[in-house]
C-alpha cells in the first residue's frame, strides 16, 4: 500500500497515481454471528490487520470538520514545465496536477488515521472470506458518473481490464494476483485471486479508480490528449490553458457528498493549479497572493524567506505540522544497470564522499535528521543487529547474504569525528582498492580495464546543485569525475522512466502498511520494466522472496518483522546514498484557509481544509 498526503517535489514530479499500500482479521460487525466461509457477510469496511476503527453507520472521519462550509477557490502552484495530458493512468505524457484524485473515485476510501483500512465509497459493501481468496464488491445503486450515467459492475470490470492492459505498468504489477473477474449482476462484481496468501488484494482493489466504459468506447485510451474526460469523482475539469493552468469545478449534485467517507471533505467550489518553471518565482508569487497554499521543501527558504509584515500580522500563516507517517527514503540512487555501479563495494565507497553533517549545518540550518532506513519514522525500520523473529527470517538466506548483515549494524558515514571527511575519504579509497580500482595520473581507474570511475548525476532542480556540487568536489579528491546535468522536469521524467541515468536524486515513499507496491520498488521482475519505480535496478532473489513475504504477512507483528528484514537487506545492498528526513509538514497559507483541529497520523491533507466565508 502506498499513499503520501503531502509528497516532496521530487515525488510529486512523477505524478504517478497516488495509490495506497493478514490470520484473525475481524470485520467491524464481528459481534454478529459468524458467517459461513463460503458465504461471508457483507461489511462496510475492512482493515489489513485486525478490525477497522470506524463502525458501521459512522457519521464521518474523526480528522475532518463535518460542518466545514462549502465555497471559495483554492489556488495552488505546480513547479514544472507544464502538462500535456488529462490521462493520469497512462505512461505517455505528463498528466495535469490533481486529476487522478479530483476527477475519479474509487470503490473504497482510505482512512488517514489507521495503518491501512478502507471503507465503502462506490462500493456500499464488500464480502471476503477469512482466507481472503476472493472479494466481492456490492456497488451503490446511487453511484453515478459525472454525465449522470450509473456506475455498474461492467464499468469496474472495464476499469480493471483497461488499467492492467493499457495503463501504467504499475497497475499490471499491483493487481498481478487477480486470476479471474466475474460480473455477477449490474451492481455486484467478484475478483478471484491466484493465492490466498496475498491478504492485501481486497483492499488495494478498493483503490482502483473507476472509469466509464461508455465514454471510452468512443475515445482512444492512450491518445485522448487534452480532451476533458468523464470521471466519477467530486470535481470535473473546468477551464484550462494547455500546459499553464487548470481549474477543477466541484459538482453541486455529486452523488456521494453526504456519505460518511465524504463528509467534511472536498470543500472548495473550485481548485486551480498554475504552473511555474522556477520555484523562486513561485515563492514570490505565493507571497504576493497569487496562490493560497505552499508546501516548503527548502530548509533555507523555511528559515529565511517567510518573514515580513504579512507573516507578523498573521495574514500569511507559517506552520510546521507534525505527522507520524513513514518518511521513506530520499537519496542519491545508483542505477545498478550501469556496469560502473554493479559492484556494491563501489556504491558503498562513494557514500563516504557525501558529507551530510556539513550539508545539514551549512545549507539546511540544522533542520533535518539523517535517514537510516527505507521505512524511516516508523516501527518498520530495522536497527542494530537482527534479533528474534527478524533474525529467524534472515537465517534462511545466510548463505546468499553477506555475513556483515548478521555481524555489523548498518551505519551511514558521518563526519562528526575529529578527522571528519578526511577519514571517510580514506575509507572510500580502501573500499575502491578492494573493488579493483587504483589511482593513475590522478584519476581513479579500474586496474584491469583502465576504465575511469566517472558518472553523471541527473537533476531537474537547480537549487539541488548546492547539495550535489560539494559531493562532486569531495569525490574529485579521489580522482573521480562527476558531471552534473540539469534538465527540465519533463525530460527528467522521461529519462527516469527509461532508466536513462547513472545517478538521480529521488524519493521513495512508503506507507505504514507496505505490500504489493514493494514489487514495483525492488522486485527483479520490474528491473527492466519501463516506467517502474525500481530506479536502482534491484534484482536479487533474496529481495524477491522477502518482498513476497511482506505481501503475505498474516498479521501486523509478522509484517513488521518481515519488513525489517527486507529493509536490512536493501540497506546492506547500498543501492542508495541516504539523505535526510523531517517528521513535519512545512506549510504556509493565507489566513482565509482553515483546517480541522485534528491532524491524522498521515499528516496534512488539503482535501479536509476549507475557505472562511
Amino acid at each position: 500500500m502506498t499513499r503520501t498526503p503531502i509528497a516532496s517535489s521530487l515525488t510529486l514530479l512523477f505524478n504517478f497515481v497516488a495509490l495506497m499500500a493478514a490470520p484473525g482479521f475481524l470485520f467491524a460487525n464481528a459481534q454478529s454471528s459468524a458467517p459461513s466461509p463460503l458465504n461471508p457477510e457483507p461489511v462496510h469496511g475492512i482493515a489489513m490487520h485486525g478490525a477497522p476503527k470506524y463502525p458501521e453507520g459512522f457519521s464521518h472521519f474523526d480528522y475532518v470538520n463535518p460542518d466545514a462550509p462549502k465555497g471559495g477557490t483554492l489556488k495552488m502552484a505546480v513547479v514544472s514545465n507544464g502538462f500535456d495530458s488529462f490521462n493520469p493512468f497512462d505512461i505517455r505524457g505528463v498528466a495535469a496536477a490533481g486529476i487522478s484524485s479530483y476527477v475519479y473515485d474509487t470503490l473504497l476510501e482510505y482512512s488517514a488515521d489507521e495503518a491501512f483500512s478502507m471503507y465503502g465509497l462506490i462500493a456500499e459493501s464488500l464480502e471476503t472470506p477469512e482466507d481472503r481468496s476472493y472479494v466481492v464488491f456490492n456497488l451503490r445503486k446511487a453511484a453515478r458518473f459525472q454525465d449522470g450515467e450509473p456506475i455498474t459492475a461492467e464499468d469496474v470490470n472495464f476499469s480493471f481490464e483497461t488499467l492492467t492492459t493499457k495503463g501504467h505498468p504499475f497497475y499490471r504489477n499491483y493487481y498481478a494476483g487477480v486470476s479471474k473477474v466475474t460480473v455477477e449482476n449490474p451492481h455486484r462484481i467478484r475478483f478471484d485471486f491466484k493465492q490466498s496468501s496475498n491478504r492485501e488484494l481486497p483492499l488495494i482493489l478498493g483503490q482502483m479508480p473507476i472509469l466509464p466504459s461508455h465514454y471510452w468506447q468512443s475515445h482512444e485510451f492512450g491518445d485522448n490528449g487534452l480532451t476533458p474526460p468523464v470521471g466519477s469523482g467530486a470535481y470535473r475539469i473546468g477551464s484550462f490553458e494547455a500546459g499553464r493552468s487548470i481549474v477543477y469545478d466541484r459538482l453541486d449534485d455529486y452523488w456521494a457528498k453526504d456519505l460518511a467517507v465524504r463528509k467534511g471533505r472536498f470543500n472548495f467550489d473550485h481548485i486551480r493549479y498554475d504552473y511555474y518553471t522556477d520555484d523562486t518565482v513561485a515563492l514570490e508569487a505565493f507571497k504576493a497572493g497569487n496562490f493560497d497554499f505552499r508546501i516548503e521543501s527548502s530548509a533555507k527558504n523555511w528559515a529565511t524567506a517567510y518573514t515580513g509584515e504579512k507573516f507578523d500580522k498573521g495574514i500569511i500563516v507559517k506552520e510546521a505540522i507534525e505527522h507520524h507517517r513513514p518518511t521513506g527514503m530520499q537519496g542519491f540512487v545508483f542505477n545498478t544497470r550501469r556496469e560502473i555501479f554493479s559492484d556494491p563495494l563501489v556504491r558503498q565507497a562513494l557514500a563516504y564522499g557525501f558529507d551530510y553533517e556539513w550539508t545539514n549545518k551549512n545549507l539546511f540550518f540544522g533542520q533535518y535528521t539523517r535517514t537510516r532506513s527505507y521505512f524511516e519514522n516508523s516501527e518498520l525500520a530495522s536497527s542494530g543487529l537482527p534479533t528474534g523473529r527478524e533474525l529467524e527470517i534472515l537465517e534462511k538466506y545466510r548463505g546468499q547474504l553477506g555475513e556483515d548483515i548478521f555481524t555489523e549494524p548498518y551505519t551511514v558515514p558521518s563526519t562528526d569525528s575529529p578527522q571528519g571527511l578526511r577519514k571517510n575519504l580514506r575509507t572510500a579509497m580502501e573500499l575502491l582498492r578492494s573493488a579493483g580500482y587504483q589511482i593513475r595520473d590522478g584519476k581513479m581507474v579500474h586496474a584491469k580495464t583502465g576504465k575511469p570511475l566517472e558518472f553523471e548525476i541527473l537533476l531537474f532542480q537547480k537549487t539541488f546543485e548546492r547539495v550535489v556540487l560539494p559531493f562532486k568536489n569531495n569525490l574529485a579528491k579521489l580522482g573521480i569525475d562527476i558531471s552534473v546535468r540539469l534538465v527540465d522536469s519533463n525530460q527528467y521524467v522521461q529519462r527516469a522512466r527509461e532508466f536513462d541515468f547513472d545517478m538521480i536524486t529521488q524519493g521513495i515513499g512508503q506507507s505504514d502498511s507496505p505490500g504489493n507496491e514493494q514489487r514495483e520498488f525492488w522486485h527483479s521482475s520490474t528491473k527492466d520494466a519501463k516506467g517502474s519505480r525500481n530506479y536502482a535496478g534491484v534484482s536479487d532473489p533474496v529481495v524477491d522472496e522477502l518482498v513476497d513475504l511482506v505481501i503475505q504477512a498474516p498479521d501486523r507483528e509478522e509484517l513488521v518483522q518481515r519488513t525489517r528484514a527486507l529493509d536490512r537487506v536493501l540497506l546492506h545492498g547500498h543501492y542508495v546514498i541516504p539523505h535526510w528526513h523531517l517528521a513535519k509538514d512545512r506549510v504556509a497559507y493565507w489566513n482565509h484557509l482553515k483546517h480541522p483541529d485534528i491532524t491524522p497520523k498521515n499528516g496534512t491533507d488539503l482535501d479536509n481544509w476549507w475557505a472562511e466565508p
Side-chain angles (χ1 to χ4, degrees):
M1 185 272 284
T2 58
R3 180 181 177 92
T4 306
I6 289 190
S8 69
S9 56
L10 291 165
T11 307
L12 285 173
L13 170 68
F14 284 83
N15 203 25
F16 291 137
V17 181
L19 293 171
M20 299 161 292
F25 93 92
L26 303 173
F27 294 117
N29 58 352
Q31 68 273 15
S32 62
S33 59
S36 164
L38 300 179
N39 189 27
E41 291 184 352
V43 292
H44 75 290
I46 182 173
M48 181 62 187
H49 302 112
K53 170 183 175 180
Y54 295 95
E56 187 170 4
F58 75 99
S59 60
H60 57 82
F61 291 127
D62 290 345
Y63 49 85
V64 304
N65 173 10
D67 300 317
K70 305 290 185 183
T73 298
L74 174 66
K75 294 177 291 182
M76 301 285 289
V78 181
V79 180
S80 171
N81 287 85
F83 61 91
D84 56 14
S85 171
F86 286 154
N87 187 345
F89 312 118
D90 187 68
I91 193 172
R92 291 164 289 186
V94 178
I99 192 166
S100 60
S101 57
Y102 293 128
V103 176
Y104 296 94
D105 271 346
T106 53
L107 291 169
L108 305 177
E109 177 62 29
Y110 172 75
S111 167
D113 58 354
E114 301 174 73
F116 189 17
S117 292
M118 304 286 288
Y119 299 88
L121 179 52
I122 290 175
E124 184 174 30
S125 64
L126 67 153
E127 303 164 25
T128 187
E130 186 174 348
D131 67 358
R132 299 194 185 183
S133 56
Y134 70 87
V135 66
V136 173
F137 294 103
N138 299 302
L139 308 189
R140 298 182 194 269
K141 293 181 180 180
R144 294 287 186 272
F145 288 108
Q146 293 166 348
D147 60 359
E149 289 294 312
I151 299 176
T152 69
E154 289 292 351
D155 294 305
V156 178
N157 183 40
F158 169 81
S159 301
F160 177 83
E161 290 296 326
T162 301
L163 292 172
T164 56
T165 60
K166 300 179 181 180
H168 194 285
F170 172 84
Y171 291 104
R172 197 172 305 120
N173 293 316
Y174 206 46
Y175 297 134
V178 175
S179 61
K180 184 173 67 172
V181 184
T182 305
V183 175
E184 297 187 348
N185 68 45
H187 295 97
R188 182 177 171 90
I189 186 168
R190 172 171 169 151
F191 294 85
D192 286 277
F193 307 143
K194 296 175 183 176
Q195 54 184 350
S196 60
S197 56
N198 192 336
R199 299 180 61 82
E200 190 184 46
L201 273 172
L203 288 86
I204 65 174
L205 278 167
Q207 301 165 351
M208 182 170 59
I210 304 305
L211 314 175
S213 59
H214 66 277
Y215 172 83
W216 290 105
Q217 286 174 358
S218 58
H219 296 80
E220 182 61 37
F221 183 76
D223 297 323
N224 64 313
L226 293 177
T227 301
V230 172
S232 51
Y235 290 81
R236 63 161 54 97
I237 295 174
S239 62
F240 66 91
E241 187 175 355
R244 300 185 66 180
S245 67
I246 183 170
V247 178
Y248 298 98
D249 298 330
R250 186 169 60 82
L251 277 68
D252 291 332
D253 59 350
Y254 175 46
W255 69 271
K257 62 183 178 180
D258 294 323
L259 295 181
V261 296
R262 285 292 182 255
K263 283 282 186 67
R265 290 174 56 76
F266 301 124
N267 300 311
F268 299 101
D269 282 346
H270 311 282
I271 299 174
R272 178 186 178 96
Y273 287 93
D274 287 298
Y275 280 72
Y276 295 81
T277 57
D278 184 271
D279 189 61
T280 301
V281 174
L283 173 58
E284 294 307 313
F286 166 73
K287 292 193 287 187
N290 292 340
F291 60 96
D292 303 317
F293 178 93
R294 178 176 166 89
I295 306 162
E296 185 51 71
S297 60
S298 166
K300 180 181 179 182
N301 284 347
W302 190 249
T304 64
Y306 294 85
T307 60
E309 183 180 5
K310 292 174 183 176
F311 294 93
D312 295 339
K313 292 183 175 180
I315 298 172
I316 304 178
V317 180
K318 174 185 175 184
E319 188 173 4
I321 301 176
E322 187 175 354
H323 66 77
H324 300 281
R325 65 179 180 266
T327 54
M329 171 69 77
Q330 179 184 295
F332 294 120
V333 180
F334 296 100
N335 185 354
T336 63
R337 303 169 188 84
R338 299 284 204 253
E339 181 182 357
I340 194 173
F341 293 146
S342 61
D343 188 339
L345 283 176
V346 172
R347 304 196 296 266
Q348 183 181 3
L350 296 180
Y352 283 89
F354 176 54
D355 190 344
Y356 162 77
E357 283 75 19
W358 181 92
T359 302
N360 193 37
K361 178 182 178 181
N362 291 279
L363 302 183
F364 300 148
F365 298 82
Q367 293 181 27
Y368 291 113
T369 301
R370 187 75 189 269
T371 297
R372 292 174 169 82
S373 167
Y374 286 91
F375 301 88
E376 193 67 67
N377 199 41
S378 79
E379 64 176 343
L380 303 166
S382 62
S383 62
L385 292 175
T387 59
R389 176 60 181 146
E390 183 196 348
L391 177 59
E392 183 181 343
I393 293 167
L394 292 171
E395 282 288 358
K396 175 184 176 182
Y397 309 105
R398 186 181 280 267
Q400 299 168 264
L401 297 171
E403 190 61 22
D404 59 328
I405 284 183
F406 301 93
T407 60
E408 300 176 19
Y410 173 80
T411 58
V412 289
S414 170
T415 55
D416 274 343
S417 66
Q419 295 184 343
L421 181 63
R422 181 174 300 180
K423 179 181 178 181
N424 283 358
L425 293 180
R426 285 200 300 268
T427 302
M429 179 66 78
E430 293 169 4
L431 289 168
L432 289 170
R433 288 195 181 113
S434 299
Y437 282 87
Q438 61 182 218
I439 299 288
R440 290 182 189 169
D441 300 324
K443 298 294 182 183
M444 183 70 70
V445 299
H446 196 275
K448 291 184 179 179
T449 66
K451 290 184 178 180
L453 183 52
E454 57 186 19
F455 59 92
E456 177 185 274
I457 300 178
L458 185 69
L459 299 175
F460 73 94
Q461 292 172 306
K462 186 171 180 60
T463 55
F464 222 83
E465 286 181 327
R466 64 193 183 121
V467 176
V468 171
L469 293 179
F471 178 50
K472 164 187 166 78
N473 295 336
N474 291 343
L475 290 180
K477 298 172 184 177
L478 298 178
I480 300 171
D481 287 335
I482 299 177
S483 59
V484 180
R485 181 178 294 273
L486 184 68
V487 298
D488 66 50
S489 58
N490 290 355
Q491 185 178 354
Y492 184 91
V493 168
Q494 295 303 324
R495 288 188 60 175
R497 286 174 175 171
E498 298 288 327
F499 310 126
D500 181 20
F501 62 87
D502 298 332
M503 175 182 282
I504 57 175
T505 295
Q506 182 58 32
I508 303 169
Q510 294 288 357
S511 78
D512 200 34
S513 184
N516 287 265
E517 78 288 342
Q518 301 303 310
R519 286 199 185 104
E520 179 83 356
F521 298 153
W522 324 117
H523 201 276
S524 58
S525 63
T526 62
K527 173 189 173 185
D528 298 316
K530 304 299 185 184
S532 85
R533 288 176 283 181
N534 189 350
Y535 303 116
V538 180
S539 181
D540 181 334
V542 175
V543 171
D544 288 352
E545 288 197 30
L546 290 173
V547 165
D548 289 340
L549 284 176
V550 167
I551 293 171
Q552 297 165 11
D555 52 54
R556 179 68 187 180
E557 180 55 30
E558 189 67 9
L559 175 67
V560 170
Q561 299 303 327
R562 293 180 183 189
T563 304
R564 288 176 180 174
L566 172 63
D567 184 39
R568 190 178 302 275
V569 172
L570 290 171
L571 290 170
H572 282 266
H574 303 288
Y575 298 106
V576 169
I577 301 175
H579 283 174
W580 49 82
H581 66 276
L582 185 68
K584 294 180 180 179
D585 295 325
R586 293 180 300 207
V587 301
Y589 53 93
W590 286 72
N591 66 3
H592 65 277
L593 295 185
K594 305 298 177 184
H595 62 75
D597 294 333
I598 298 174
T599 299
K601 61 185 290 293
N602 282 338
T604 306
D605 185 349
L606 268 178
D607 294 335
N608 303 330
W609 291 38
W610 65 93
E612 189 175 64

